[in-house]
Amino acid sequence: MLDKAVRHELSGLTREVAVQTGAHLAAVNYFIESDPERAWQHAEAARKRGGRLGVVRETAGLAAYRTGRYADALAELRTARRITGSNEHLAIMADCERGLGRPERALELARSEEAKTLDADNRIELKIVESGARADLGEFDAAVVVLQIPELESNRRSPSLARLRFAYSEALKAAKRQQEAESWRSRAIAEDPDGSAGVNDLDDDELEVYDLEWDDDEDGEQDDQDGQGGDDAPRSADRQKPAQDAHAQDGEIDEDDDLEDSTDDLDDQADDLDDDDDEDDDLDDEDDEDDEDLEDTEEADSDTVSAGSTAPSQGSGDAKAENATGTPFEVRFEHGGREDADRSADRQD
C-alpha cells in the first residue's frame, strides 16, 4: 500500500502510467529488505515511467544504495533533492561518497549548511558517517570524538541511538580502547532487542559452542547402564566397516587380475598376428620363386616366337598353346596366364 503523499505525486501522471509506476514502487518497498537486487530492478522500471517525480528518484536512490551501487544512488538522490528540496538523505549521500572511496567529500557534506537543517535522527546518522570517514582516513581518535555528542548519554531509546552507541563502540575498538568498546557494544545490543537497529547480531567469535560428544568415561558408564542395547548398533556398524573395506579391497584386487588377464589375451593375439605375418612372408617367398620361374619361361617363349616356330608343349594346356595365334606379346601373355593359374591351383591343394 502506497503512502498518501506518494499517491498524490503519482496523480500527476496519466492513469495507466500512474498505476504501473505505483505498482513498481510498491514492489520496491516490499523487496527492499529481503531481495534488494529485485527491488532495484523494480526501481529502474518505475524510473522509466515516472522519472520526473521526486519520490521515484528517491526510491531508486535508496534501492541502488542497498545493492552497493553507490554512484547510481548518489546520482538519484541528488536529483531527488533538486526536485523536492529535501536534505533528508544527506547521510546516505555522504556514505555513498565513502563507498566510492572519497571520505573527504563525505566530511564536506557533514560540515555543510544543509547538515544543520536535519532533524535529530538524521543528524545522528550523519555523525555516524562522519566518524566512519575519519576512520577511513586513519584518524581513529578523531572518529571517537565526533560521536561524543549529548545524544550518546540520552535515556531515550530509538534505532538511531542504538546505532550511535554501536558505532561509538566500533570507533573505540579501532582506537585500541577495547574495554570501553565492549561496554558500549553491550549497551547498544541491549537497546536493540527486536533488531530494528541492525546491531543485535552476535559475531561468530561470541557464540558459545557446546561439545555434545561423549567422553570415554561417559561411554563406559552409559554402556553399563544400557547393557546390550543402545549404542551396540553403531558399534556393530563400526566393526562391519573394516570388513566392508576388506571386501572393497578384494574387489579392487579382482579387477586388477581381470586387467592382467585381458593384457595376457592381448599379448596372445599379438603373437598370433606375428605368426600370421611369418606365414605371409613364406607365401611372399613362394611368390618370388614363381615370379622367377615365370620370367624364365617368358624368355624362352620370346625366343621361340621371335624365331617363327611354335614349340609343342605337354598336356592339355600345351595343346592350346600350339593353336595360339596373334602377336608375340599376345601369345606370351596367354601362355604365362595358364602357368599362373596352374601354380595357384597347386598351392591351394
Side-chain angles (χ1 to χ4, degrees):
M1 191 65 172
L2 296 176
D3 186 79
K4 183 178 180 180
V6 176
R7 294 200 303 271
H8 178 72
E9 282 195 58
L10 292 174
S11 63
L13 304 173
T14 63
R15 180 175 180 78
E16 181 180 359
V17 176
V19 170
Q20 294 176 350
T21 305
H24 286 297
L25 292 178
V28 173
N29 294 330
Y30 182 80
F31 291 111
I32 192 69
E33 296 293 338
S34 60
D35 193 349
E37 194 66 33
R38 190 171 182 180
W40 164 246
Q41 294 174 0
H42 283 287
E44 285 188 306
R47 185 183 58 185
K48 292 178 181 178
R49 292 166 173 79
R52 62 186 179 87
L53 299 181
V55 64
V56 173
R57 307 306 287 266
E58 175 188 358
T59 303
L62 296 176
Y65 176 73
R66 288 300 301 269
T67 60
R69 294 177 171 86
Y70 299 119
D72 293 330
L74 192 58
E76 296 297 328
L77 293 176
R78 283 175 177 171
T79 303
R81 185 174 65 170
R82 286 196 301 268
I83 296 173
T84 63
S86 173
N87 296 312
E88 179 183 2
H89 300 296
L90 194 63
I92 294 178
M93 294 171 63
D95 204 33
C96 288
E97 295 287 5
R98 286 186 60 206
L100 293 172
R102 302 187 298 227
E104 297 87 354
R105 293 190 181 183
L107 294 176
E108 292 176 3
L109 287 176
R111 294 191 298 263
S112 65
E113 291 296 325
E114 292 84 354
K116 298 177 182 179
T117 64
L118 298 177
D119 59 21
D121 288 339
N122 285 317
R123 189 168 60 251
I124 290 173
E125 297 293 343
L126 186 57
K127 284 291 183 181
I128 294 173
V129 175
E130 182 182 359
S131 175
R134 293 291 182 185
D136 293 341
L137 295 172
E139 303 172 2
F140 301 111
D141 292 332
V144 173
V145 175
V146 167
L147 297 177
Q148 292 175 345
I149 58 179
E151 288 83 356
L152 188 63
E153 299 289 349
S154 174
N155 294 326
R156 183 173 63 91
R157 284 193 174 187
S158 70
S160 60
L161 287 177
R163 284 192 292 270
L164 172 64
R165 292 172 180 126
F166 187 84
Y168 187 60
S169 70
E170 292 295 307
L172 290 169
K173 184 178 180 180
K176 308 300 183 181
R177 297 162 63 175
Q178 190 66 34
Q179 187 173 359
E180 296 176 78
E182 291 297 331
S183 176
W184 281 101
R185 180 183 176 85
S186 300
R187 182 175 176 180
I189 292 174
E191 293 177 357
D192 184 31
D194 58 353
S196 59
V199 300
N200 199 23
D201 297 327
L202 293 176
D203 294 336
D204 293 338
D205 55 0
E206 294 182 351
L207 297 176
E208 294 185 9
V209 179
Y210 294 94
D211 189 3
L212 299 179
E213 296 182 358
W214 294 101
D215 294 334
D216 294 337
D217 296 339
E218 294 177 351
D219 282 341
E221 295 176 359
Q222 189 68 23
D223 291 341
D224 294 339
Q225 294 175 1
D226 294 342
Q228 299 297 325
D231 295 335
D232 287 345
R235 285 195 296 273
S236 298
D238 292 338
R239 287 194 296 269
Q240 292 173 0
K241 185 176 181 181
Q244 294 174 356
D245 295 339
H247 290 310
Q249 293 177 358
D250 292 339
E252 295 176 356
I253 293 173
D254 293 338
E255 292 178 356
D256 294 338
D257 294 338
D258 293 338
L259 290 175
E260 292 178 357
D261 294 338
S262 300
T263 304
D264 294 337
D265 293 338
L266 291 175
D267 293 337
D268 294 338
Q269 294 177 5
D271 294 336
D272 294 337
L273 290 176
D274 293 337
D275 295 337
D276 293 339
D277 292 337
D278 295 337
E279 293 178 359
D280 292 337
D281 293 338
D282 295 336
L283 292 175
D284 291 339
D285 294 337
E286 293 178 1
D287 291 338
D288 292 338
E289 294 176 357
D290 293 338
D291 291 339
E292 292 176 357
D293 296 338
L294 179 59
E295 290 177 358
D296 295 338
T297 304
E298 289 178 349
E299 290 177 358
D301 292 341
S302 177
D303 295 337
T304 303
V305 174
S306 61
S309 60
T310 304
S313 300
Q314 297 178 355
S316 60
D318 294 338
K320 293 181 181 180
E322 293 176 354
N323 297 326
T325 61
T327 64
F329 177 77
E330 291 174 347
V331 174
R332 192 164 56 247
F333 178 81
E334 182 180 358
H335 182 68
R338 287 198 303 270
E339 290 185 352
D340 289 341
D342 294 337
R343 282 196 296 272
S344 297
D346 293 337
R347 284 197 298 268
Q348 291 177 1
D349 293 337

